[in-house]
């Protein structure tokens, strides 16, 4: 039935060529189509963290009765996340129940309670970290309460290290360690007058109850406020040099620690950055969009993309705790020509802190931002907009004007793009400073529509510093926008 058709050689060659060219075109067309035009969230988050395997988000909440801020640390490992979250949740529960108890008093004294959970990340060796959590809560004007908790985690093995993974304990070793810790406690003049001997003994007795962690140079033991001493001593941290502790540590663990960590911290040269210095027209319509609480590994890149598409400039009030994890993301924001302001280190309510703490909260984050971007932040936004005379004084000493807002998008409350859009558009005016957060995906969803509408109404998006310059404002503020 089939007849074989013989084609001349040149026709075969032409057919082949057509086939090849058509094939290449198809591939090219496909490649074009696959080029992501829209913002692809969550490309590979881990890459941007300076602590491979670890990521962080700062969660905040604000009610009439209290403010709350939690540095939420997460890894790829569910088990590790679970044990961290359990501790964090416990702190939150204790806080909310103590608020319920003192609700009447809080209302009567017009005092807002505050819970702050922050984390210090210490790299011990490659992918080996100590996470030192500190929970600070204050529910009355009198005094706060601090609790410590540490997790030593190994992201090579994907697990949280337990006592037996780090220590090599028999009865003698346990006694030696107890003695070392006691020596340290009693030789510390700030602590020793307040110690209760029987409580010290009791809390050291059972090694399973020890609260400990490891840094590169020390083994650290923790005691909560009131656990072994009067309140005046606060929470206590005892550091025993690694040299003294080595005989009591698990060999496999110390071997891991001996591996040198490659240090490849880059230091950016101070670059010229004069793109946005053009003077604004006093009769122009301007809006300063501000994004707080980032940088966030998924949301901030989306916001940056949208701003770029609209050629809009904005101000990002960043947390030191977030920039510490994502310095290259902070640098990207800076390089895109946006302004970076300081939003403090740990998002504490500054109005309930002492002078030293306020200063530290501001200075620490400012240093971290400077290290990441090569530029010192010029502005400060106090968390929750909470300020007082002390805060203003220290901000003034540091030369950081306080920046509040005149339009609250309530994005943290609604978490709904449509609602965020409506709220901004119904309250915006020329000279507005708009409060947004680059940590909620819904805010990133709302931004394209907000920018399009603002442009249609003739607004230009500028940084807060540009607005202040236009208004000839050089004081410490606080500035609310118009
Ligand atoms: Zn904030």
């Amino acid at each position: 039935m089939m007849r074989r058709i013989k084609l001349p050689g040149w026709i075969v060659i032409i057919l082949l060529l057509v086939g090849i060219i058509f094939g290449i075109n198809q591939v090219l067309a496909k490649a074009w189509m696959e080029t992501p035009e829209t913002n692809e969230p969550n490309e590979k988050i881990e890459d941007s963290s300076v602590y491979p395997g670890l990521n962080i988000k700062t969660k905040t909440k604000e009610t009439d009765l209290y403010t709350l801020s939690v540095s939420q640390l997460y890894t790829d490992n569910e088990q590790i996340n679970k044990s961290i979250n359990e501790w964090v949740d416990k702190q939150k529960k204790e806080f909310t129940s103590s608020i319920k108890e003192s609700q009447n008093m809080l209302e009567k004294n017009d005092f807002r309670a505050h819970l702050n959970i922050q984390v210090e990340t210490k790299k011990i060796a490659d992918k080996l970290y100590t996470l030192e959590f500190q929970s600070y809560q204050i529910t009355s004007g009198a005094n706060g309460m601090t609790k410590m908790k540490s997790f030593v985690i190994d992201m090579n093995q994907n697990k949280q290290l337990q006592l037996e993974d780090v220590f090599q304990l028999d009865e003698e070793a346990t006694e030696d360690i107890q003695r070392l810790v006691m020596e340290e406690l009693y030789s510390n003049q700030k602590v020793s007058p307040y110690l209760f001997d029987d409580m010290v003994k009791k809390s050291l007795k059972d090694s399973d109850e020890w609260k400990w962690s490891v840094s590169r140079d020390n083994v650290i033991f923790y005691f909560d406020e009131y656990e072994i001493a009067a309140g005046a001593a606060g929470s206590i941290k005892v550091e025993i040099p690694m040299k003294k502790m080595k005989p009591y540590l698990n060999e496999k663990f110390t071997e891991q620690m001996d591996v040198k960590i490659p240090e490849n911290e880059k230091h950016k040269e101070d670059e010229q950055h004069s793109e946005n210095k053009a003077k604004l027209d006093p009769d122009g319509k301007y809006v300063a969009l501000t994004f707080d609480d980032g940088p966030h590994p998924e949301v901030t890149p989306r916001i940056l993309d949208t701003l770029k598409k609209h050629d809009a400039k904005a101000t990002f009030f960043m947390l030191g705790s977030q920039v510490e994890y994502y310095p290259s993301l902070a640098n990207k924001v800076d390089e895109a020509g946006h302004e970076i302001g300081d939003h403090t280190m740990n998002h504490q309510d500054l109005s309930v802190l002492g002078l030293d703490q306020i200063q530290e909260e501001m200075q620490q984050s400012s240093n971290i931002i400077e290290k990441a971007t090569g530029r010192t932040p010029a502005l400060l936004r106090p968390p929750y907009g909470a300020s007082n005379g002390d805060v203003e004084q220290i901000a003034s000493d540091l030369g950081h004007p306080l920046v509040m807002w005149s339009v609250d998008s309530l994005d943290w409350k609604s978490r709904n793009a449509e609602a965020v859009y409506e709220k901004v558009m119904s309250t915006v005016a020329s000279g507005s400073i708009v409060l947004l957060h680059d940590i909620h995906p819904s805010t990133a969803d709302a931004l394209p529509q907000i920018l399009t509408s603002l442009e249609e109404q003739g607004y230009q998006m500028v940084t807060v510093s540009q607005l202040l310059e236009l208004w000839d404002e050089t004081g410490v503020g606080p500035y609310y926008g118009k």
Side-chain angles (χ1 to χ4, degrees):
M1 298 285 277
M2 288 274 275
R3 246 194 294 178
R4 295 189 72 191
I5 304 166
K6 268 203 175 171
L7 293 173
W10 60 271
I11 291 184
V12 172
I13 288 169
I14 284 177
L15 280 176
L16 272 173
L17 276 176
V18 168
I20 287 168
I21 289 166
F22 187 71
I24 288 172
N25 268 337
Q26 284 290 89
V27 170
L28 279 179
K30 216 170 163 226
W32 269 110
M33 304 230 319
E34 275 168 8
T35 308
E37 295 265 64
T38 48
N39 305 308
E40 287 272 304
N42 195 353
E43 286 149 14
K44 205 171 179 346
I45 319 163
E46 300 87 344
D47 290 344
S48 60
S49 168
V50 288
Y51 301 113
L54 304 186
N55 278 287
I56 197 165
K57 288 175 189 172
T58 303
K59 296 214 159 162
T60 67
K61 196 177 169 186
E62 187 176 358
T63 74
D64 291 340
L65 283 178
Y66 67 90
T67 54
L68 171 158
S69 161
V70 177
S71 285
Q72 201 196 343
L73 198 132
Y74 58 104
T75 71
D76 301 333
N77 182 280
E78 279 313 309
Q79 202 51 47
I80 297 174
N81 294 347
K82 200 179 152 214
S83 43
I84 294 174
N85 289 339
E86 269 171 11
W87 182 78
V88 169
D89 287 344
K90 194 172 158 233
Q91 307 312 308
K92 283 200 220 162
K93 268 195 197 118
E94 283 175 14
F95 177 66
T96 38
S97 75
S98 83
I99 282 177
K100 264 185 205 139
E101 277 168 30
S102 49
Q103 181 161 352
N104 285 336
M105 207 184 61
L106 288 170
E107 280 166 353
K108 209 167 72 192
N109 298 340
D110 196 23
F111 182 84
R112 234 177 6 163
H114 181 56
L115 172 70
N116 184 271
I117 298 179
Q118 47 182 275
V119 60
E120 195 175 322
T121 311
K122 295 174 183 170
K123 194 167 181 171
I124 315 170
D126 192 35
K127 291 198 175 180
L128 192 61
Y129 307 102
T130 280
L131 307 173
E132 196 176 81
F133 280 83
Q134 185 183 314
S135 159
Y136 174 76
Q137 72 165 66
I138 179 161
T139 45
S140 71
N143 41 17
M145 164 91 165
T146 305
K147 276 192 185 170
M148 313 279 295
K149 171 79 180 171
S150 64
F151 298 86
V152 178
I153 58 172
D154 182 346
M155 293 312 291
N156 296 300
Q157 297 184 66
N158 246 321
K159 66 176 251 191
Q160 179 189 351
L161 298 186
Q162 306 298 329
L163 190 74
E164 61 273 16
D165 297 316
V166 174
F167 295 88
Q168 202 161 19
L169 293 178
D170 53 23
E171 207 172 313
E172 211 187 320
T174 308
E175 277 170 19
D176 283 353
I177 294 173
Q178 288 163 344
R179 187 179 41 77
L180 282 171
V181 174
M182 299 222 324
E183 273 173 17
E184 204 59 39
L185 278 171
Y186 283 95
S187 63
N188 182 339
Q189 285 167 8
K190 277 187 192 159
V191 170
S192 58
Y194 306 108
L195 290 171
F196 299 121
D197 301 345
D198 48 338
M199 285 162 88
V200 174
K201 279 197 189 114
K202 195 177 153 219
S203 80
L204 283 172
K205 198 174 165 208
D206 183 358
S207 58
D208 285 329
E209 299 290 315
W210 291 350
K211 292 189 284 291
W212 56 273
S213 78
V214 183
S215 71
R216 266 193 263 185
D217 307 316
N218 299 300
V219 175
I220 304 151
F221 294 87
Y222 304 89
F223 303 92
D224 283 335
E225 209 163 352
Y226 308 110
E227 186 181 341
I228 57 169
S235 60
I236 298 168
K237 220 160 99 169
V238 173
E239 296 183 330
I240 314 276
M242 199 49 91
K243 253 193 217 154
K244 285 191 191 171
M245 284 300 294
K246 217 161 184 179
Y248 316 116
L249 297 183
N250 189 320
E251 259 175 53
K252 242 177 87 188
F253 178 76
T254 49
E255 269 167 30
Q256 215 178 334
M257 282 196 60
D258 286 338
V259 182
K260 283 264 177 298
I261 307 168
E263 286 288 344
N264 46 5
E265 294 225 318
K266 83 178 178 105
H267 247 285
K268 204 182 125 184
E269 297 294 314
D270 218 329
E271 286 162 22
Q272 288 297 331
H273 204 70
S274 50
E275 305 151 40
N276 295 301
K277 288 289 171 220
K279 278 248 167 3
L280 300 184
D281 172 4
D283 299 323
K285 283 174 87 179
Y286 301 107
V287 168
L289 300 180
T290 63
F291 296 94
D292 288 12
D293 298 357
H296 183 289
E298 292 142 57
V299 181
T300 307
R302 294 184 57 199
I303 304 259
L304 282 181
D305 271 6
T306 308
L307 289 171
K308 193 176 170 194
K309 276 179 194 151
H310 289 262
D311 197 20
K313 295 291 178 260
T315 305
F316 291 75
F317 287 99
M318 294 186 176
L319 287 170
S321 56
Q322 292 291 130
V323 177
E324 197 210 340
Y325 264 68
Y326 309 108
S328 58
L329 195 46
N331 195 33
K332 251 186 213 164
V333 173
D334 175 75
E335 283 185 339
H338 304 293
E339 176 165 32
I340 296 181
D342 188 352
H343 196 37
T344 76
M345 189 63 200
N346 294 299
H347 213 276
Q348 304 218 53
D349 182 338
L350 299 180
S351 69
V352 301
L353 299 185
L355 285 169
D356 290 350
Q357 285 170 297
I358 298 172
Q359 167 127 21
E360 204 182 314
E361 275 293 303
M362 292 183 191
Q363 193 66 62
Q364 240 184 321
S365 45
S366 176
N367 292 345
I368 288 177
I369 292 169
E370 189 182 343
K371 203 174 154 203
T373 66
R375 217 182 303 279
T376 318
L379 310 171
L380 183 108
R381 171 167 287 162
Y384 320 103
S387 182
N388 61 19
D390 288 348
V391 175
E392 281 174 30
Q393 184 55 51
I394 295 172
S396 161
D397 292 347
L398 292 172
H400 290 175
L402 294 174
V403 176
M404 307 302 191
W405 54 88
S406 54
V407 172
D408 188 348
S409 69
L410 295 177
D411 59 345
W412 52 276
K413 214 173 184 177
S414 70
R415 308 284 181 96
N416 176 295
E418 193 58 32
V420 172
Y421 171 80
E422 294 295 341
K423 190 79 180 65
V424 171
M425 296 315 296
S426 64
T427 36
V428 78
S430 188
S432 288
I433 297 176
V434 182
L435 174 65
L436 295 150
H437 295 81
D438 54 334
I439 55 170
H440 306 305
S442 45
T443 302
D445 293 340
L447 191 59
Q449 215 187 337
I450 291 174
L451 289 174
T452 305
S453 295
L454 286 175
E455 281 163 357
E456 279 167 9
Q457 296 182 18
Y459 287 106
Q460 189 187 332
M461 271 50 77
V462 298
T463 66
V464 172
S465 280
Q466 282 177 297
L467 273 190
L468 294 184
E469 201 182 284
L470 176 72
W471 299 335
D472 219 6
E473 294 285 5
T474 51
V476 69
Y479 298 107
Y480 291 88
K482 293 177 177 167

